[in-house]
Structures are given as structure tokens and as C-alpha cells.
Amino acid sequence: MSAPTFFSKIASRNDAAARVAALPQPVVFTNGVFDVLHRGHAVYLAQARELGASLVVALNTDASARRLGKGPDRPLNNEADRAAMMAALESVSLVTWFDEDTPIELIRELKPAVLCKGGDYDMAKLAETKVVEGYGGRAVAIPFVDGYSTTSLVQRIRQRP
């Protein structure tokens, strides 16, 4: 049996710029760990996709995710597994990674038309916003879907006997 076709949506960091240039424009960019996918993620990603013709998701590598301080055992899913789950979503056009603490260098390379983040971010304070707006793009915050968080989901699972 062959691998599912969605694996073709996963691009190495080295190939990301060429792959993004070939996508339908405008391109929307978002990033995160996306450790354990839940309804809030699915809604957020679908809404982000509506802001353009293509959606690129940049995942924190495992090392980058650990530096975020979410706990010594996070992420629960490794970067390859997280990329596969992300690529399987219909709203996602391309998945790649970044190993830095922020995706600012990747944004400079890819030059998406829209930078999208969750509603907990003040877009005016992000260095990434200044980069995107500097070349004529825009930055958008999408409100959270109340009641959904990977951290709270992990806590609930751990509390069960």
C-alpha cells in the first residue's frame, strides 16, 4: 500500500520557499506546536485558510517546542507525527518546520501575504508583524474557540485514573 497523498504537503525547510512560491496566492502563514490536535485547532486553521488561497503551517521542531516551557515531556507527539496530522487536514496546503524560538527568519524567506495567529497574541507587538507589514502583507489575529487547549486537555487526561 502506498503512503497517503497528504504526505506530499510536507516540505523540508530547504524546500519550503520553492514550494510556497508554487502555491495558489495569496498565501496565509501560521505557526505553532500543534501537539495534540483538537476542535479549536481545526476551526482556527479553517478560518486562517479563508484569509487566502493557501495555508502554510510552520511547526516548531521538537527542540523548539521544548524551549517554550510547556513541560519536560512536551511535545507528546514528535515533529514528524505532528506534521503528518497537520498535512492530513484539508485546510492546510503545506507544512514545514522552524527550529528557532520564533519563525521570523522563515517568514522572511517565504514572504506570506498574511500572517495569522491565535487571539491571545497582540499582533502589534510581534516582530513578525513588522516583517510582514514591511513588505506589504498584513497580520491578523483569529479569536480562540472557547474551551479548547492542548495544555488543559493533557491535564484532564493525566487526572483520570
Side-chain angles (χ1 to χ4, degrees), residues 30-116:
T30 194
N31 65 280
V33 177
F34 296 102
D35 189 7
V36 178
L37 290 181
H38 52 69
R39 180 180 181 159
H41 290 136
V43 170
Y44 166 77
L45 293 166
Q47 290 173 334
R49 173 65 180 264
E50 290 175 7
L51 298 172
S54 301
L55 175 61
V56 173
V57 178
L59 297 174
N60 293 77
T61 61
D62 292 345
S64 174
R66 280 191 284 280
R67 289 193 303 269
L68 294 175
K70 294 185 180 221
D73 58 345
R74 298 280 302 276
L76 298 173
N77 289 298
N78 68 47
E79 60 196 55
D81 291 343
R82 291 183 287 120
M85 292 302 296
M86 192 61 58
L89 297 175
E90 105 180 278
S91 58
V92 176
S93 307
L94 190 78
V95 181
T96 193
W97 295 272
F98 65 99
D99 193 45
E100 303 83 2
D101 291 343
T102 72
I104 198 160
E105 290 305 318
L106 183 58
I107 291 168
R108 285 185 176 122
E109 293 169 23
L110 304 183
K111 293 188 173 35
V114 181
L115 168 66
C116 189

